[in-house]
Amino acid sequence: MDRYLVFGHPVRHSKSPFIHTLFARQTQQELEYGLAEPAIDEFAQALRTFFDQGGKGCNVTVPFKEQAFTLVDCLSPRAKRAGAVNTIKLTDDGVLLGDNTDGAGLVADLKSHGVTLADSRILLLGAGGAARGALAPLLAELPSELVIANRTHVKAQQLAAEFCDLGHVTAQTYEQLAGSFDLVINSTSASLQGELPPLAPALIHTDIAIYDMMYGASDTAFISLAKQHGARQTMDGLGMLVEQAAEAFTVWRGIRPGTKQVLRELKRNLGVI
Ligand code: ATR
């Protein structure tokens, strides 16, 4: 049977085996999908061993995405732009192809929620790996403006400079932010420390959509804040997780699974509904 898995550390709580098992059942593909948690300095060896032993493809999650970028034989254009790899496929020619489906997953989820990106004014919070992966797919939707705000401002400036060939993208400090945004995307890891990005609540208005790439069984702190201040629409990153997985599954198997039912099952599994 074709074997796939996700590499991460820690990875025990990953929902990827659950999601891909449901995709395989739905599309009647024969495959198994497991977990691998190599020691931080043993990822390269573990990856090599997996493919030497007949593995067909894998996902890569924190903290290995940047390292995976350096270990594959070739990169998709979107992985090159993201500077990170979350999906690896062994091609029929024996080549390890590195791809990145995170940004495509975010855009697919935003669209499935009915969010209009074309001509919109988008605020992206954070300038780490998650922000970098999201930028090209977001700019491809032709927003009127995309502003990056980050605690360490120079990182936002670097990112804006790197992506300015793809659209109108600028960097501002949290203090400089002004005007009315249509969509705010939180890509920071602040909530992992139980913190919030320092966004002035006055920027949250009743016609704004808020997306938090994080998710949990209950509202993230950022989504709670948005709700308190009357945001029109709030979304967490669970849909992005399922959509990036669907995109990876499509890369591997050449068949696109449906995501709605799987997302519902995942919510049930997490106790969200
Ligand atoms: P990831 O791969 O998840 O993006 P990362 O590359 O470590 O992780 O980036 C984390 C991002 O969250 C960074 O933009 C970080 O800001 P700094 O560049 O200033 O470190 C941001 N971040 C983390 N904790 C934060 C907090 N408490 N408030 C605001 N931003 C925070």
Side-chain angles (χ1 to χ4, degrees):
M1 199 183 297
D2 289 349
R3 286 196 304 122
Y4 296 84
L5 51 71
V6 56
F7 285 99
H9 196 120
V11 83
R12 239 156 302 154
H13 301 295
S14 169
K15 299 297 167 198
S16 292
F18 182 86
I19 295 169
H20 284 285
T21 301
L22 291 185
F23 285 163
R25 197 176 302 158
Q26 181 204 112
T27 56
Q28 296 174 331
Q29 299 280 298
E30 289 248 338
L31 60 86
E32 58 178 39
Y33 189 107
L35 298 168
E37 193 175 283
I40 302 295
D41 57 354
E42 286 172 8
F43 169 59
Q45 183 57 45
L47 187 72
R48 211 166 304 130
T49 303
F50 171 65
F51 283 108
D52 284 349
Q53 293 179 348
K56 292 285 182 196
C58 65
N59 286 127
V60 181
T61 188
V62 179
F64 298 130
K65 290 183 191 185
E66 283 79 14
Q67 205 185 332
F69 181 86
T70 68
L71 294 172
V72 293
D73 300 319
C74 65
L75 292 161
S76 69
R78 59 189 180 181
K80 231 177 254 173
R81 268 288 182 181
V85 158
N86 81 331
T87 301
I88 302 177
K89 174 187 177 160
L90 180 67
T91 69
D92 294 341
D93 309 330
V95 168
L96 282 190
L97 169 69
D99 197 358
N100 192 312
T101 65
D102 286 332
L106 169 67
V107 168
D109 192 38
L110 285 164
K111 286 183 176 174
S112 84
H113 281 96
V115 175
T116 305
L117 298 170
D119 287 324
S120 67
R121 193 159 181 255
I122 301 175
L123 172 59
L124 178 62
L125 306 180
R132 179 183 291 277
L135 273 167
L138 284 172
L139 291 167
E141 298 299 318
L142 305 178
S144 61
E145 185 181 6
L146 193 154
V147 176
I148 308 170
N150 192 46
R151 186 174 58 178
T152 312
H153 182 52
V154 66
K155 281 165 71 179
Q157 287 176 308
Q158 283 162 357
L159 218 46
E162 200 178 311
F163 285 85
C164 67
D165 59 321
L166 297 184
H168 184 199
V169 50
T170 58
Q172 291 179 13
T173 64
Y174 279 99
E175 294 74 31
Q176 284 168 337
L177 294 173
S180 177
F181 291 96
D182 301 301
L183 170 66
V184 180
I185 300 169
N186 179 22
S187 82
T188 74
S189 52
S191 59
L192 295 180
Q193 296 98 45
E195 293 172 1
L196 278 167
L199 181 75
L203 288 165
I204 300 171
H205 53 81
T206 53
D207 206 24
I208 204 166
I210 299 282
Y211 195 99
D212 194 344
M213 288 194 194
M214 297 282 166
Y215 60 85
S218 52
D219 281 348
T220 66
F222 191 64
I223 287 195
S224 295
L225 177 86
K227 283 183 175 171
Q228 274 166 32
H229 290 85
R232 173 176 57 83
Q233 188 176 15
T234 54
M235 298 154 274
D236 72 14
L238 203 57
M240 175 178 171
L241 177 73
V242 175
E243 293 293 347
Q244 65 75 29
E247 189 76 17
F249 192 93
T250 309
V251 169
W252 293 326
R253 309 300 297 186
I255 179 166
R256 180 169 291 277
T259 50
K260 281 211 163 62
Q261 181 62 27
V262 173
L263 181 56
R264 230 183 337 262
E265 298 272 341
L266 184 59
K267 283 184 177 165
R268 205 167 293 139
N269 178 269
L270 282 169
V272 182
I273 52 172

